[in-house]
Amino acid sequence: AAAGKRVLDVYETWAPTNEMNAQRLQEHRKATEHPVCVVPSETQGQPPKGPEKEVGQIPRTFLGAVGSPTVLTKNQCVFFKLNNGARGTIVAFLFKPGEQPPQHFPVAAVVSFPAYDGPAFFRGAGREKWVPVPVNRSFSKDESGATGQRAGHATRTGLPLRAGYATVAHKTQ
């Protein structure tokens, strides 16, 4: 990183983390004119109680913009270094044919992951690290730690990504 450039802000709780991510995304939007993409997740069933509770590592809402940093919140392919916590930069958003923002939500984000060590998804120089991250469906855990689709569980469908300007301390360990 360039001298004096902030790479990652770390907070104790999610509230200031989310505020900083939203603020930095707005600064990014003003500097680049790339709109901020807001993608709510769809939750079915009874999700866990409390602020910012994830269901199966899918955040309630994804915020991101082309050119902004992002973090995977759920393992996609550990063998290729696409694990929970992998950092990257958003390259594009993919939509179903005939759909476009803001009326529709993306079905995937294309992210450049510097640590990615798998086959290329896209052709062309400089695109070897570009990976499509599709919408995922996950299940919540019950008190015993079991997951599944049964009474007392929730499912969430959404992008397994979080804005990458700030995080909470326990996610950096």
Side-chain angles (χ1 to χ4, degrees), residues 11 37 53 55-56 67 70 74 81 83 86 103 119 122 134-135 140 153 160 164 167:
Y11 296 92
C37 186
K53 289 295 182 185
V55 174
T70 193
K74 180 180 178 188
K81 299 181 182 160
N83 53 291
Q103 299 85 2
F122 298 91
V135 167
S140 65
H153 288 268
T167 192

Side-chain angles (χ1 to χ4, degrees), residues 11-26:
Y11 296 92
E12 289 184 27
T13 62
W14 279 115
T17 299
N18 293 337
E19 288 175 23
M20 180 54 68
N21 277 325
Q23 176 185 329
R24 298 280 304 276
L25 274 167
Q26 289 305 322

Side-chain angles (χ1 to χ4, degrees), residues 79-152:
F79 184 76
F80 294 135
K81 299 181 182 160
L82 293 176
N83 53 291
N84 181 359
R87 296 179 50 78
T89 302
I90 298 170
V91 175
F93 293 101
L94 304 178
F95 294 84
K96 290 180 182 176
E99 294 186 355
Q100 58 186 340
Q103 299 85 2
H104 301 98
F105 299 119
V107 294
V110 178
V111 179
S112 177
F113 288 105
Y116 176 65
D117 193 22
F121 285 93
F122 298 91
R123 294 182 181 172
R127 297 178 178 184
E128 301 83 8
K129 305 284 186 176
W130 290 13
V131 177
V133 178
V135 167
N136 283 214
R137 183 172 182 208
S138 290
F139 299 93
S140 65
K141 294 182 179 179
D142 63 17
E143 295 76 31
S144 70
T147 60
Q149 192 171 14
R150 59 177 190 254

Side-chain angles (χ1 to χ4, degrees), residues 27-92:
E27 292 168 5
H28 176 81
R29 181 189 61 78
K30 289 176 185 173
T32 65
E33 297 186 14
H34 289 297
V36 174
C37 186
V38 179
V39 184
S41 296
E42 181 182 314
T43 304
Q44 296 178 339
Q46 186 62 40
K49 302 269 189 264
E52 293 309 309
K53 289 295 182 185
E54 295 178 352
V55 174
Q57 300 176 305
I58 304 287
R60 286 183 179 160
T61 305
F62 163 78
L63 297 173
V66 171
S68 70
T70 193
V71 178
L72 268 176
T73 60
K74 180 180 178 188
N75 290 340
Q76 299 297 296
C77 185
V78 176
F79 184 76
F80 294 135
K81 299 181 182 160
L82 293 176
N83 53 291
N84 181 359
R87 296 179 50 78
T89 302
I90 298 170
V91 175

